[in-house]
Amino acid sequence: MDNPGYRRGSFNSMQSGTSDEDMVEIAGATLDSSVTDDVLPLDRDVSRGHSTFNGEGLNGASKMMDFLEEPIPGVGTYEDFNTIDWVREKSKDRDRHREIANKSKESTWALLQSVSDAFSGWLLMLLIGLMAGSLAGLIDISAHWMTDLKEGVCLSGFWFNHEHCCWTSNETTFIERDKCPQWRSWAELIVGQPDGAFAYIVNYLMYVIWALLFSFLAVSLVRSFAPYACGSGIPEIKTILSGFIIRGYLGKWTLVIKTITLVLAVSSGLSLGKEGPLVHVACCCGNILCHLFTKYSKNEAKRREVLSAAAAAGVSVAFGAPIGGVLFSLEEVSYYFPLKTLWRSFFAALVAAFTLRSINPFGNSRLVLFYVEFHAPWHLLELIPFIMLGIFGGLWGAFFIRTNIAWCRRRKTTKLGRYPVLEVLVVTAITAIIAFPNDYTRISTSELISELFNDCGLLDSSKLCDYINDNTTKTTDDRAAGPNVYTAMWQLALALIFKIFITIITFGMKVPSGLFIPSLAVGAIAGRLLGIGMEQLAYYHHDWVIFKGWCSPGADCITPGLYAMVGAAACLGGVTRMTVSLVVIMFELTGGLEYIVPLMAAAMTSKWVADAIGREGIYDAHIRLNGYPFLEAKEEFTHKTLAMDVMRPRRNDPPLTVLTQDGLKVEDVETLISETTYSGFPVVVSRESQRLVGFVLKRDLVISIENARKRQDGIVSSSDIYFTEHIPPQPPSSPATLKLRKVMDLSPFTVTDHTAMEIVVDIFRKLGLRQCLVTHNGRLLGIITKKDILKHMAQVVNQDPDSILFN
């Protein structure tokens, strides 16, 4: 997220740099309301040297102007890098709904509009599901073709990938299903021979060249057209769903570039997946389609309900797991998830999955990525190795998070971050050079996981299925491993070490990069190795006490593919800290419904072990690394501090800057706005009483005054401003009076100075507040913002409080 645009220092107008996380951090603003695009830096030092302003002056006015009887464009909207006011947005939606309900009784046309309004949410979900499913199918088909392009090309049609090319061949055998005359390797095309040392070198070079080309195109497109298209996108989506605004992150350019570069990044062979970025793609679809419906485009809280459903649709098409997608949105990314959103998320995920199934990108008439057909039941004693895999997953998750965050921090703070294109090319070259010689790293990660999950049958040609068959039995169980199995185990062990370290430096580069598939691959490799070890142990020592009851000769016993599946779940759980949604995704992903208990045991063990080492999952860690203002709902606040300890102004600071409900002139307010960096002002009865009347945002003040100057006669610098309901009689010679009561929040949230911070934090989390005013016996004392809370929480755990900034 190192786009230099984030730190733009010059800005004007209504985008005058207010940050709702820190209600006091903006630079000098002007009253130019012509600009609507907002780019705002949050990394400014707090300025406190502001005196209390009372604005005494003449109260003369011959005309009183309450121009807010008609809505003014911009009032009630938000600037870039601000937090929305959830309470105000929900109130606006209730008022809108109440008005529609009242009008529906007046005429048939109004009734039809009411029905249309009620149906618009479901129509929007339908469109999101169709669009997300279509894009996912396009990405899947393109990625398969371009991945195979690194190894060769189909002569009967260059647009066919390896598998589809050989489907149409009459000379393809079941044993050698991946060989056919129509598919030619690059060595066959260039030097005319498929085998030999020179052919191997040619194939090796072409593999590396294609990988470098794909990754170069991906990073160049991201850097040039859509810097927001890099990474997974899930940390930012979590932050956006919590109420933060990052304009452009879910825009049209981001969607187009992310879709294209995701295919390129996956095809390059980098250790990344497309599943996390597909959530970002689906949320982009949701955000863009929201503009078709005023109900959602004009209300930020309602839009976030749509984005929660879109995230569910994204996981649904990423894994073919619609129920898991809904649970993922609920458990992992959503901040506000009412029951209505649950139903609509389910519908969007269903439509998206149905659309993907209709496209059939995998060509196997199945929706799931890694369908398994295990015939052997699992046994109670196998819970011990399953829990061991859970421990491994937790250790791997904690290790990955710490090392990846350390590497990303180094990338941000050293010269490494200045050369994103070079970094991507170097990592791609290292990945391709090391990956090609090993059969299990040369193939795509999805194919690797599919092979590791596979339960060996009699006709399987994989090296992992090279078992020595006993002539006396035709069963596929209880067999000794052949030489190829041991070769495959060595290759898998090397692949495991390679995947562990290359994923650490790959995640976070300036290309779209998901973490689901690499994590699943690490766990699947570890699980398959353990499964083969257990299988051979049971074969050679079936008379041991632990195997005696269920591993007699000829009986179904150990299933190595099941161990791979459990290991994959454990490692993904260790990295993301998912539990319920992870188990559901895994059994939807594989179709292995009867193995829920092993998956649950591994997922919970993995989470416990990882949490014992570090409480944060990878997405929360990246949120903190980037300094996003995000209050984690899962994190407990246990420190015994009071609101007065956190509020500003602190002791020895100048008093709080306030507006009075009357006695102010336009020029006084304009001067106050230009000379202070606050993004909102409490309104009090008078400077002496300090009794709270309401709270007004600086953005609304700027827009209202500028609009009144343009649209109304008589509004000049000496015009009086009132926040009261009734205006006292004014002399006829006075200029017009400006009434701004309707831009003021008449019911700002307040707490007393002795309220426990534990309660204040809970209020901020559950109501999505931007700021809360602190009072004592009705008198205004100070203000607490979300950033104040985040800084306080950082301080109590000995972290740098200034890291809570949008970097």
Side-chain angles (χ1 to χ4, degrees), residues 721-794:
I721 291 179
Y722 284 91
F723 293 98
T724 55
E725 183 67 39
H726 303 290
I727 306 299
Q730 308 296 330
S733 59
S734 302
T737 300
L738 190 57
K739 184 180 177 184
L740 295 181
R741 185 176 178 83
K742 288 201 173 183
V743 301
M744 181 174 64
D745 181 2
L746 294 170
S747 56
F749 274 87
T750 60
V751 294
T752 67
D753 51 340
H754 284 84
T755 305
M757 275 307 297
E758 187 176 0
I759 296 173
V760 176
V761 171
D762 220 26
I763 292 172
F764 268 81
R765 282 176 179 156
K766 292 180 178 177
L767 295 179
L769 298 186
R770 293 180 301 175
Q771 74 279 331
C772 181
L773 300 174
V774 182
T775 61
H776 178 75
N777 293 336
R779 284 173 55 88
L780 179 65
L781 289 184
I783 186 170
I784 298 175
T785 68
K786 185 190 280 189
K787 185 178 283 188
D788 292 328
I789 290 177
L790 289 165
K791 286 187 173 183
H792 178 67
M793 293 172 73

Side-chain angles (χ1 to χ4, degrees), residues 664-684:
L664 290 174
K665 293 189 179 298
V666 170
E667 61 183 355
D668 299 329
V669 175
E670 289 177 339
T671 302
L672 182 67
I673 288 171
S674 63
E675 290 182 352
T676 64
T677 58
Y678 301 119
S679 66
F681 303 97
V683 181
V684 296

Side-chain angles (χ1 to χ4, degrees), residues 352-367:
F354 176 78
T355 304
L356 185 66
R357 170 64 182 80
S358 302
I359 296 172
N360 193 20
F362 308 118
N364 56 7
S365 298
R366 290 196 181 102
L367 185 62

